[in-house]
Amino acid sequence: MASTASGNIAFMVSISGWLLVSSTLPTDYWKVSTIDGTVITTATYWANLWKTCVTDSTGVSNCKDFPSMLALDGYIQACRGLMIAAVSLGFFGSIFALFGMKCTKVGGSDKAKAKIACLAGIVFILSGLCSMTGCSLYANKITTEFFDPLYVEQKYELGAALFIGWAGASLCIIGGVIFCFSISDNNKTPRMGYAYNGATSVMSSRTKYPGAGGDLKTTNPSKQFDKNAYV
């Protein structure tokens, strides 16, 4: 029962983390910067893994897609690869988790399900690590440029997509760890044992005892054996 509950909790936590990680790819605000006027914000600059945009005070946005993948900065290419790998690993991890959960009727025996659940946990952990690394790499570039006094171009701050990615990565790692530890519950199930009571010993095949008249009488040997002697 505990193993089933832990598997269900791990599945919900991991799937929630994977959905959050997947939502960061199309999210706009990976990094953001604003130019404030005396009364209102005059312009907002923001960018993600695919484009860079500027939004004026009227709400009109002008975006420019990155012209070439090969001409991109190295950290953007690395973040793209890591986030795509995180989403792909989370997809396969969710499939393995469905086969490894005890509440489903696929996946084979309980021992086989435990191995599949452990594999799903490892895949979710890898997915969380990829997402965590990608978001951290992007955030490190932003903070390095922001605190560099020699950097004269537009400086950005951390966007909402990074925090969503970190939260999703944490949930994936937590769910994967629960999946891996749920295999120990299957090894604690008690085994049914069968006790064997050995045959009772018989002192002699023919037992003599004095009768009423003092004569020795013999008894039938078959009546002296206990029923356990034939086991």
Side-chain angles (χ1 to χ4, degrees):
M1 186 67 179
S3 178
T4 304
S6 62
N8 294 335
I9 294 174
F11 181 77
M12 291 187 293
V13 172
S14 301
I15 291 297
S16 300
W18 175 59
L19 292 176
L20 289 176
V21 170
S22 300
S23 66
T24 59
L25 281 177
T27 303
D28 294 330
Y29 296 98
W30 278 67
K31 60 181 180 180
V32 61
S33 178
T34 58
I35 298 177
D36 297 328
T38 56
V39 179
I40 60 174
T41 300
T42 57
T44 301
Y45 295 87
W46 51 272
N48 56 15
L49 298 178
W50 316 103
K51 60 186 177 181
T52 178
C53 301
V54 57
T55 303
D56 58 18
S57 58
T58 62
V60 178
S61 298
N62 295 318
C63 297
K64 178 183 178 181
D65 295 333
F66 294 132
S68 174
M69 184 181 67
L70 299 178
L72 288 176
D73 294 334
Y75 78 98
I76 296 181
Q77 295 183 10
C79 290
R80 281 184 178 182
L82 288 170
M83 296 306 295
I84 293 173
V87 173
S88 301
L89 288 172
F91 174 75
F92 289 109
S94 61
I95 295 177
F96 292 147
L98 287 175
F99 282 92
M101 294 178 64
K102 282 189 173 183
C103 59
T104 59
K105 296 183 179 180
V106 292
S109 61
D110 290 343
K111 186 176 181 180
K113 280 179 172 290
K115 293 181 180 180
I116 297 175
C118 184
L119 177 62
I122 295 174
V123 174
F124 273 121
I125 292 174
L126 292 177
S127 175
L129 291 177
C130 288
S131 176
M132 186 75 71
T133 305
C135 294
S136 300
L137 181 62
Y138 199 92
N140 179 69
K141 181 66 175 180
I142 296 173
T143 54
T144 301
E145 293 177 351
F146 187 86
F147 292 106
D148 188 2
L150 301 179
Y151 188 78
V152 296
E153 297 183 10
Q154 181 71 32
K155 294 185 178 182
Y156 292 88
E157 296 182 3
L158 303 180
L162 295 176
F163 298 99
I164 296 174
W166 282 325
S170 301
L171 290 178
C172 286
I173 294 174
I174 294 173
V177 171
I178 297 175
F179 264 127
C180 291
F181 278 101
S182 65
I183 191 176
S184 61
D185 295 336
N186 296 316
N187 297 329
K188 296 179 181 180
T189 56
R191 296 182 178 180
M192 298 299 296
Y194 296 92
Y196 171 71
N197 295 325
T200 57
S201 60
V202 181
M203 297 181 60
S204 62
S205 61
R206 300 177 66 89
T207 305
K208 298 181 179 181
Y209 62 93
D215 297 333
L216 295 178
K217 296 184 179 180
T218 61
T219 60
N220 191 355
S222 60
K223 297 182 179 179
Q224 298 297 323
F225 288 98
D226 188 78
K227 62 179 181 179
N228 290 328
Y230 296 94
V231 179

